[in-house]
Amino acid sequence: MATSQAKIMSEFTNPDVEVLISAEQIKEKIRELGADIARDYAGRNPLLIGVLKGACTFLSDLIRAADIPLGIEFIAISSYGAEMRTSGEVRILKDLDVAVAGRHILVVEDIVDTGLTLSYLLANLESRGAASVKLVALLDKYERREKDVAIDYLGFKIPDKFVVGYGLDFAERYRNLPFIGVLKDPTQ
Ligand code: IMP
Ligand code: MG
């Protein structure tokens, strides 16, 4: 027992990651967000759309904190290279499996950074005839915003640091950390 506990701790204690938001803080915030969403969307059978891959951890905890009938979907998008990014254009790598016309859509995103990806995605979903399109984001790196994005439900505002954990990666690593941390040196 003690040994397996120690093993878990060492697996989730990365010397290259400094804790910014603890697992407990995330849990508490998601309890509040889930209650807000359940209250606002009661009787509307919302469709929660998670943006792969980063938002999958957040989405899976969030839906268990929102005690109302709802549906889930996933979309995968990739932004173009640095120059194309300023146009805000993104490529849809995996589209939704259902039509969104007439549905109340809640996009679930891990982090809003420049806002370019989200502003494109929200406009795209609105153009498909959704009844409403709103956004829930766990993190807001507001200092780097280039395009205004209305975050209807927000977890935490964070400083302009590269963060990992709880779904967020650096080169596909660290997604499984149960907390949000700052990568001390991304080149390592
Ligand atoms: P943007 O808002 O269009 O700049 O893009 C946001 C996306 O960039 C997020 O969905 C993340 O996938 C990624 N991203 C932005 N900042 C971070 C970070 O600090 N850590 C990990 N991924 C990030
Ligand atoms: Mg993302």
Side-chain angles (χ1 to χ4, degrees):
M1 180 67 177
T3 318
S4 68
Q5 186 64 29
K7 185 166 179 286
I8 290 165
M9 287 309 292
S10 68
E11 279 172 359
F12 286 131
T13 305
N14 275 270
D16 44 348
V17 179
E18 198 180 319
V19 178
L20 181 67
I21 304 167
S22 71
E24 200 47 55
Q25 286 175 289
I26 295 171
K27 203 172 163 186
E28 182 51 40
K29 185 63 75 177
I30 288 178
R31 229 195 312 267
E32 294 170 18
L33 291 173
D36 289 349
I37 288 165
R39 184 197 58 223
D40 296 350
Y41 284 91
R44 295 204 284 164
N45 186 26
L47 183 64
L48 275 65
I49 300 179
V51 184
L52 293 173
K53 305 173 194 169
C56 72
T57 318
F58 179 38
L59 182 137
S60 68
D61 282 344
L62 186 65
I63 58 173
R64 284 176 286 179
D67 189 16
I68 51 164
L70 55 79
I72 64 168
E73 273 289 322
F74 293 96
I75 194 164
I77 52 190
S78 129
S79 42
Y80 289 100
E83 280 136 54
M84 284 294 289
R85 267 187 71 79
T86 47
S87 73
E89 220 174 303
V90 300
R91 207 150 43 99
I92 293 178
L93 300 177
K94 183 228 170 285
D95 207 343
L96 307 172
D97 295 330
V98 298
V100 302
R103 297 292 304 267
H104 291 284
I105 302 301
L106 186 56
V107 173
V108 182
E109 182 57 303
D110 48 5
I111 183 167
V112 184
D113 185 19
T114 63
L116 292 169
T117 315
L118 259 301
S119 62
Y120 174 88
L121 182 61
L122 296 172
N124 177 289
L125 293 170
E126 261 159 23
S127 76
R128 301 187 198 190
S132 67
V133 180
K134 292 201 170 185
L135 171 66
V136 51
L138 183 64
L139 305 173
D140 179 9
K141 214 196 269 184
Y142 61 98
E143 288 163 298
R144 281 174 45 86
R145 197 74 85 254
E146 289 175 35
K147 269 236 167 96
D148 255 353
V149 171
I151 305 177
D152 302 284
Y153 303 91
L154 174 67
F156 306 91
K157 279 186 190 294
I158 61 160
D160 183 9
K161 298 256 170 67
F162 194 85
V163 291
V164 295
Y166 198 71
L168 290 143
D169 74 309
F170 173 68
E172 294 301 324
R173 274 191 68 192
Y174 308 107
R175 290 194 197 275
N176 57 326
L177 294 177
F179 57 86
I180 307 270
V182 175
L183 205 51
K184 288 177 190 161
D185 182 0
T187 57
Q188 269 176 1

